[in-house]
Amino acid sequence: MNIRMEHDTMGEIAVPADRCWGAQTQRSLENFKISGERQPQEIITAFAYLKEACAIANARKGKLTEQQAHAIAAACREIRAGKWDGEFPLVVWQTGSGTQTNMNVNEVIAHLAASQGVPLHPNDHVNASQSSNDTYPSALHIAAALSVANQVLPAAERLAAAFARLEAAYPDLIRIGRTHLQDATPLRFSQEVSGWRELTAAPCRMLRAALEELCRLAIGGTAVGTGLNAPADYDGAVCKELRTLTGLDFQPDKNKFHALTSKDALVFAHGAMKALAANLMKIANDIRWQASGPRCGMGELHIPENEPGSSIMPGKVNPTQCEAVTMAAVQVMGNDAAIGFAASQGNFQLNVFLPVSAYNFQQSARLLADAMESFRTHCVEGITPDVERMEENLQNSLMLVTCLTPKIGYEKAAECAKKALHEGTTLKEAVVSMGLLTEKEFEETVRPEKMV
């Protein structure tokens, strides 16, 4: 392997000649051979937004020349376009401040600028007016906000819209309700689907509220929150550029001592994603229970048959999309615990659990967005009710007796239901045989369409 020698404050180190990173990235590669999970690509993209905004702000504050700022910005645009993905090899399990990833980005940018004839120092120029202690928390928030705004929310909104279409398609279909996994009173199928729609839509409102907090950035706090080595109003200038670059309303966190050490906004935002995951678990379970069968289950819904379900049972088809959603939900719930623990570890002026927080948050965002897209296109949009099965179960339900309570009282109604159950008769037969109502009175009273 061809090498070149790079140096940092600890001396020289050999770096592969065909790579754009420098000494500090190489040291991290050699010192942290821990598992294989790399820094999320979303974090690298966020750094590329941040470094470009910082460069422009530095030029306007007189800390970089226009040429230097343009060279940094050009490199950042190439990084965001994915041209240099292989130059960011560092694992999650490194320094808890993310310093080595910040320097990885600085070194690559400096190398790319030098290749275009603009010599830059990764610390003095690319990292001007910055510290890893304010850049990684800022990149963490930028990445989280972009993922929520551009991935999770659009996927959730499309899924909610799919449920709205299913809701509108069957406005008059009545089915039996179920509580405690037992028969309950009737409801319209559209009413049940409206619940699924709102289970998807409600966490979106929570995520939008969380976006405001995620858009508060630590940038400008530098090492401990005092803003040492950063020009006046630098934080505002950086955020102004970020708003232009991303379209999101990034603002400086007014208290940098809070911003550097607290990850409460990330906990809040991920909590909303956990709420979405919990609701998706409920929806997927409802659908797979109601689609169970085809002959010996509930069988009230038909879902798309996408692939064979068994390697031994011919003809078996399983609710695989529902299963994928529920597994994704479980992972998001686990990630939420990790993020909560990590956020509790802010010691003095810095939280040093940043990369693991980024890794878990971004995995949750990707999982939710992808799972909702797959669930919508391969399951929800193909759901149809088994109208005959729903009608049969509706008419066979003993809980229709509930509407008789005003006429015959709770205890007599319960006696009728138990009699029908134990004797294997219909509810009408039980009520009439007990002399509580005539057949005509029963039919006039027990009208499912009036019970919904």
Side-chain angles (χ1 to χ4, degrees):
M1 179 178 66
N2 293 328
I3 62 169
R4 70 177 190 275
M5 299 306 294
E6 291 277 349
H7 76 277
D8 57 14
T9 57
M10 297 187 72
E12 289 193 331
I13 187 170
V15 174
D18 61 344
R19 292 302 186 180
C20 297
W21 63 70
Q24 293 194 51
T25 303
Q26 189 64 33
R27 293 191 195 283
S28 183
L29 272 176
E30 295 179 6
N31 289 333
F32 297 98
K33 296 178 180 179
I34 303 175
S35 192
E37 297 90 353
R38 287 167 56 170
Q39 290 286 318
Q41 187 59 45
E42 296 89 346
I43 288 291
I44 304 303
T45 297
F47 262 111
Y49 278 119
L50 181 62
K51 295 294 178 178
E52 179 173 354
C54 287
I56 295 170
N58 275 320
R60 291 178 179 167
K61 297 291 183 180
K63 296 198 69 172
L64 291 177
T65 68
E66 289 294 328
Q67 183 188 38
Q68 290 170 329
H70 288 157
I72 292 171
C76 289
R77 288 192 290 270
E78 290 187 355
I79 290 169
R80 292 200 299 273
K83 187 175 180 180
W84 304 103
D85 288 353
E87 301 301 324
F88 303 99
L90 300 188
V91 296
V92 172
W93 321 107
Q94 53 164 279
T95 177
S97 62
T99 298
Q100 288 132 8
T101 289
N102 179 43
M103 287 308 304
N104 182 191
V105 175
N106 290 336
E107 289 175 344
V108 170
I109 291 172
H111 186 95
L112 294 176
S115 71
Q116 299 301 313
V118 183
L120 296 176
H121 190 281
N123 295 83
D124 294 336
H125 299 117
V126 186
N127 202 61
S129 310
Q130 303 156 58
S131 163
S132 298
N133 295 355
D134 67 348
T135 57
Y136 200 106
S138 296
L140 178 58
H141 275 212
I142 293 166
L146 288 171
S147 292
V148 168
N150 298 336
Q151 296 180 46
V152 180
L153 279 172
E157 288 163 355
R158 287 190 289 269
L159 180 58
F163 283 128
R165 290 190 293 273
L166 181 62
E167 179 184 350
Y170 300 94
D172 300 318
L173 178 59
I174 300 175
R175 61 171 308 162
I176 198 65
R178 294 175 178 87
T179 58
H180 302 270
L181 297 181
Q182 305 295 306
D183 300 349
T185 56
L187 74 163
R188 295 186 191 279
F189 177 59
S190 61
Q191 292 172 323
E192 180 173 43
V193 177
S194 77
W196 297 342
R197 170 177 51 78
E198 187 62 14
L199 282 164
T200 310
C204 291
R205 296 192 293 273
M206 303 171 198
L207 282 168
R208 291 188 194 96
L211 269 177
E212 181 178 350
E213 298 301 322
L214 286 176
C215 284
R216 302 183 195 277
L217 302 184
I219 196 68
T222 65
V224 297
T226 61
L228 179 68
N229 292 348
D233 301 321
Y234 176 73
D235 53 357
V238 173
C239 288
K240 179 181 178 181
E241 296 304 322
L242 283 170
R243 290 194 293 273
T244 300
L245 289 170
T246 67
L248 295 182
D249 189 25
F250 290 110
Q251 300 287 340
D253 193 311
K254 293 180 180 179
N255 189 319
K256 300 297 191 294
F257 307 102
H258 160 264
L260 265 62
T261 194
S262 174
K263 293 288 133 306
D264 48 13
L266 204 72
V267 172
F268 180 45
H270 198 278
M273 290 204 295
K274 182 177 74 170
L276 177 58
N279 287 357
L280 290 172
M281 174 78 82
K282 192 270 183 195
I283 293 168
N285 278 335
D286 280 359
I287 290 172
R288 65 174 167 178
W289 273 107
Q290 292 179 28
S292 61
R295 292 187 173 178
C296 300
M298 288 178 65
E300 293 190 355
L301 292 182
H302 297 300
I303 59 176
E305 298 182 352
N306 297 319
E307 63 273 315
S310 173
S311 61
I312 190 174
M313 292 174 280
K316 193 173 190 291
V317 179
N318 294 331
T320 51
Q321 290 295 319
C322 296
E323 292 167 7
V325 168
T326 56
M327 285 193 293
V330 165
Q331 185 64 56
V332 171
M333 293 175 190
N335 289 350
D336 192 74
I339 287 173
F341 284 125
S344 73
Q345 299 304 304
N347 304 123
F348 305 116
Q349 279 70 58
L350 186 66
N351 180 292
V352 290
F353 285 72
L354 300 180
V356 70
S357 299
Y359 176 76
N360 281 278
F361 191 99
Q362 292 303 324
Q363 185 190 49
S364 291
R366 287 192 302 271
L367 277 173
L368 287 173
D370 290 349
M372 285 188 290
E373 281 293 283
S374 183
F375 187 46
R376 175 179 62 83
T377 59
H378 297 296
C379 182
V380 173
E381 290 180 344
I383 290 175
T384 57
D386 187 324
V387 177
E388 291 183 3
R389 188 66 172 265
M390 284 188 179
E391 177 65 22
E392 178 186 353
N393 287 339
L394 175 67
Q395 296 303 327
N396 198 39
S397 172
L398 299 177
M399 288 304 99
L400 296 178
V401 76
T402 305
C403 68
L404 295 177
T405 303
K407 283 185 172 291
I408 65 176
Y410 183 92
E411 293 191 10
K412 287 295 184 182
E415 189 178 345
C416 290
K418 292 178 180 180
K419 177 180 175 66
L421 177 63
H422 294 151
E423 296 179 359
T425 64
T426 66
L427 184 62
K428 180 167 70 173
E429 289 172 329
V431 171
V432 172
S433 70
M434 291 176 65
L436 297 171
L437 293 174
T438 66
E439 187 171 332
K440 181 179 179 182
E441 288 172 328
F442 180 91
E443 291 173 350
E444 290 175 345
T445 304
V446 182
R447 301 278 295 279
E449 68 273 16
K450 292 185 177 181
M451 300 174 69
V452 297

